[in-house]
Amino acid sequence: MSGRKSSEVANVLQQGEEARKQADESISRQIDEALRAFSAAVEQAQRDQKAALALAVELHPMAKDLFGAKAAELAQKFQQVKDEAAGVTFGKSATRIRTELKKLDDELAAADAEGARIRESVTHHQYGWHCDQEYADAQKLVQRYKDLRTQRLGLSHAAVAASQEAHQERTKLAAASKRLQGLKQQIDGMNAVAQKRQESDAMRKDLEAAFAGIDAADAQKFFADEYRALGSDVQALVAADDDAVGTSFHALYSKLALYQTKLTERVERWRREKADAEKLAADVRAIAATQYVEPNDYYANYGDGEKKIELFAFLRAYGKDGGREAFDGLMQRADKLIESESFVESMEPLAEALQHVQEARDAATDLQQAMLQKMELACAIQDVMEDLQYSFHTRPIDDNPNNGYRIKCEVGDEIIDFDRIDIDDDGGIVVNIDHTEGVGGSCRNSWKEIATHMREAGIPVTDVRLAGGASVLQVRKADTAQEQTQIRAH
């Protein structure tokens, strides 16, 4: 005989549509969460933009004469900030990502249907031979699943990036709104002062009010020396005679206005940097807190297992170390920088931690899918043997579902020990069997029935051979005394 065997087709077919669906739905939920954060940020940003654009000022002619260039600078700054706020636009990233996600889901469903067609086609080949076309189709399908997974992960990364960008636009517009309110207050104050410039008592009150309007905590935090000097100047001028107030008022009031402008800009920049750093830190920790299901618990509870394990613990328990120490080191470094209010500097370790945890999340997603596939394969074999009246005992190899499963089946004095049921890194099915034949040597008949039921369950078995190479399924076995023989399922 020639051509590809059904087992070779099985080696390239991805197993477990439900397991793959579990992994893809996990990524899709993460995309939905990021898009919800994106939408919330855009809605708030639009409200802030509307509030900012609703503000307006008009510099009184008397204020222009009284404060000169300083007043004109404030009015110009107001218009500049307002123009910048008006120029902020919001993209349609969420709509594009949701459209692409729907397209991926449709393509995945089509791929699953193609996989079912290939496995059905294999069962119609006598003894599992001449499966060249199915083998070629299966290879194409494996690559198609890989491409769909890569695209879905790419959409997850794009959704997180869009959420971050929208958050930054929101903080920018919130800062612009507060900035415009401050500028309007200062210009309105200049207008009011201009109308009563010759009233020295009113000027004294305006100086005191302008100084009191400065947030003392913010001033002490950022420009303490200049704040104390301004306070001394205000106290001295308020205590001076009317002529001195009339002469020095305008210059000192302008200094207060400029100081308030500088302080407000510095505070808003600090708040924006703080909000951006804390948001990114929260996003990174949210990914690290992603929980995964252990396969035995998942199937024992009909797909709603309660034994959820966080990302890095999941990788350490069932796969390889996901780099928790490196991640914790980056986050500790970022936390210290945030605590010391070095927000811009904290973005570097946070960005590195985000990349690190996204890579770990991708690895955990693949690991969970692989373990669920192995469990699904073991369950399928277990169901076949149970239908054939075998008693069985199933357990993970080395107590780790990622290492595959062992099923020991018995009926009478016949023992069939599936000592390794696994799926290798290339998607190939591994089923190693140790068969202890009962008295009378009837394994040929029992294996024909087992193989038929296996194929009907979508598990290709083309032959079972004795240690010496003799076929159990295709060659009549001579009557012999009881013997114990090592066999292998192809």
Side-chain angles (χ1 to χ4, degrees):
M1 294 185 177
S2 62
R4 295 290 185 177
K5 297 184 293 183
S6 58
S7 60
E8 294 180 277
V9 175
N11 284 335
V12 295
L13 278 176
Q14 290 287 338
Q15 296 295 310
E17 285 81 3
E18 288 300 321
R20 183 164 49 252
K21 180 179 178 182
Q22 172 82 7
D24 288 340
E25 286 181 350
S26 175
I27 299 173
S28 297
R29 284 192 297 271
Q30 294 162 15
I31 294 173
D32 285 339
E33 291 171 2
L35 292 181
R36 282 194 294 271
F38 170 88
S39 297
V42 168
E43 289 175 4
Q44 182 60 50
Q46 289 173 334
R47 287 193 292 269
D48 289 337
Q49 186 181 50
K50 183 178 180 180
L53 298 181
L55 296 174
V57 296
E58 182 177 357
L59 190 61
H60 195 282
M62 294 177 65
K64 293 179 180 178
D65 296 335
L66 185 60
F67 297 101
K70 300 300 182 183
E73 288 175 6
L74 287 179
Q76 183 179 6
K77 184 67 175 177
F78 180 93
Q79 190 58 48
Q80 177 185 344
V81 175
K82 190 171 182 179
D83 290 342
E84 290 174 355
V88 175
T89 58
F90 308 97
K92 300 186 180 298
S93 301
T95 301
R96 177 184 61 79
I97 291 172
R98 289 191 186 281
T99 299
E100 293 181 14
L101 182 61
K102 175 61 169 60
K103 180 180 177 182
L104 285 180
D105 288 340
D106 292 342
E107 292 180 12
L108 182 61
D112 287 341
E114 173 65 1
R117 183 196 66 77
I118 295 172
R119 287 193 294 274
E120 172 65 19
S121 179
V122 166
T123 63
H124 296 297
H125 290 263
Q126 184 177 16
Y127 300 121
W129 288 93
H130 302 293
C131 299
D132 298 43
Q133 184 58 53
E134 287 85 351
Y135 182 86
D137 292 343
Q139 286 184 313
K140 293 178 182 178
L141 183 59
V142 168
Q143 185 58 48
R144 186 177 177 188
Y145 276 129
K146 290 180 179 178
D147 292 343
L148 291 174
R149 172 58 53 76
T150 299
Q151 293 177 52
R152 190 177 297 269
L153 290 173
L155 284 181
S156 175
H157 300 165
V160 171
S163 174
Q164 284 292 320
E165 182 179 357
H167 176 77
Q168 292 172 5
E169 292 297 333
R170 182 183 72 80
T171 57
K172 184 189 300 182
L173 283 167
S177 181
K178 291 180 180 295
R179 180 77 185 93
L180 288 171
Q181 292 173 13
L183 288 168
K184 176 176 171 57
Q185 184 178 4
Q186 294 171 48
I187 294 172
D188 290 344
M190 283 186 171
N191 287 336
V193 169
Q195 294 175 7
K196 54 184 178 181
R197 62 185 181 278
Q198 294 179 351
E199 302 175 9
S200 59
D201 287 343
M203 290 181 180
R204 290 184 178 93
K205 291 180 181 179
D206 288 335
L207 284 172
E208 291 173 336
F211 185 75
I214 299 172
D215 188 292
D218 289 340
Q220 293 287 357
K221 183 181 182 67
F222 295 107
F223 307 117
D225 292 342
E226 190 175 351
Y227 176 69
R228 285 191 290 269
L230 281 171
S232 297
D233 292 344
V234 169
Q235 289 179 358
L237 189 56
V238 166
D241 57 37
D242 290 344
D243 290 339
V245 172
T247 301
S248 304
F249 169 77
H250 309 306
L252 182 54
Y253 193 90
S254 295
K255 286 178 65 177
L256 287 169
L258 291 175
Y259 178 82
Q260 179 69 280
T261 298
K262 180 172 71 171
L263 178 62
T264 300
E265 290 178 346
R266 182 64 186 88
V267 170
E268 291 308 319
R269 189 182 76 189
W270 177 85
R271 289 175 179 169
R272 184 173 67 252
E273 292 171 352
K274 180 176 184 293
D276 290 345
E278 289 176 346
K279 177 62 168 59
L280 181 54
D283 286 346
V284 171
R285 285 194 165 93
I287 296 176
T290 302
Q291 295 186 331
Y292 295 84
V293 65
E294 193 273 343
N296 292 314
D297 184 60
Y298 176 82
Y299 280 95
N301 290 279
Y302 303 100
D304 190 24
E306 298 178 353
K307 188 178 180 182
K308 301 295 194 304
I309 306 174
E310 289 189 350
L311 172 61
F312 287 107
F314 181 78
L315 286 173
R316 179 169 291 180
Y318 300 112
K320 59 182 180 180
D321 187 0
R324 180 60 183 262
E325 292 183 2
F327 173 78
D328 287 343
L330 289 168
M331 293 305 293
Q332 289 171 6
R333 177 183 163 198
D335 288 342
K336 289 180 180 178
L337 289 170
I338 291 175
E339 185 178 356
S340 65
E341 299 189 356
S342 300
F343 303 120
V344 174
E345 291 80 0
S346 73
M347 296 298 278
E348 179 183 350
L350 285 174
E352 189 174 347
L354 175 62
Q355 180 180 356
H356 189 85
V357 76
Q358 285 178 331
E359 291 174 354
R361 187 269 315 276
D362 296 347
T365 300
D366 290 340
L367 175 61
Q368 178 178 257
Q369 176 180 334
M371 290 199 297
L372 290 175
Q373 288 176 335
K374 294 172 185 181
M375 167 60 87
E376 189 171 316
L377 176 61
C379 287
I381 293 176
Q382 180 179 281
D383 290 344
V384 169
M385 300 307 288
E386 183 179 18
D387 289 343
L388 295 173
Q389 306 302 312
Y390 283 81
S391 62
F392 59 86
H393 176 68
T394 304
R395 65 179 185 275
I397 296 174
D398 299 328
D399 292 325
N400 186 342
N402 194 36
N403 294 338
Y405 291 85
R406 179 178 182 180
I407 304 177
K408 186 175 183 180
C409 305
E410 297 180 77
V411 59
D413 58 353
E414 180 183 2
I415 298 174
I416 298 178
D417 189 355
F418 296 85
D419 54 20
R420 183 188 174 198
I421 299 172
D422 201 358
I423 299 176
D424 61 28
D425 292 340
D426 295 324
I429 293 177
V430 178
V431 180
N432 292 342
I433 303 170
D434 181 2
H435 182 187
T436 301
E437 195 171 23
V439 175
S442 61
C443 73
R444 176 173 177 268
N445 294 327
S446 63
W447 266 111
K448 281 187 176 181
E449 185 176 5
I450 291 171
T452 299
H453 281 73
M454 289 285 188
R455 293 181 190 125
E456 290 174 350
I459 307 167
V461 177
T462 61
D463 198 5
V464 178
R465 294 183 178 275
L466 302 176
S471 169
V472 174
L473 296 180
Q474 301 177 30
V475 179
R476 182 177 300 275
K477 183 179 180 298
D479 292 333
T480 61
Q482 179 180 359
E483 56 183 328
Q484 293 185 346
T485 311
Q486 293 290 326
I487 65 174
R488 179 166 59 92
H490 297 274

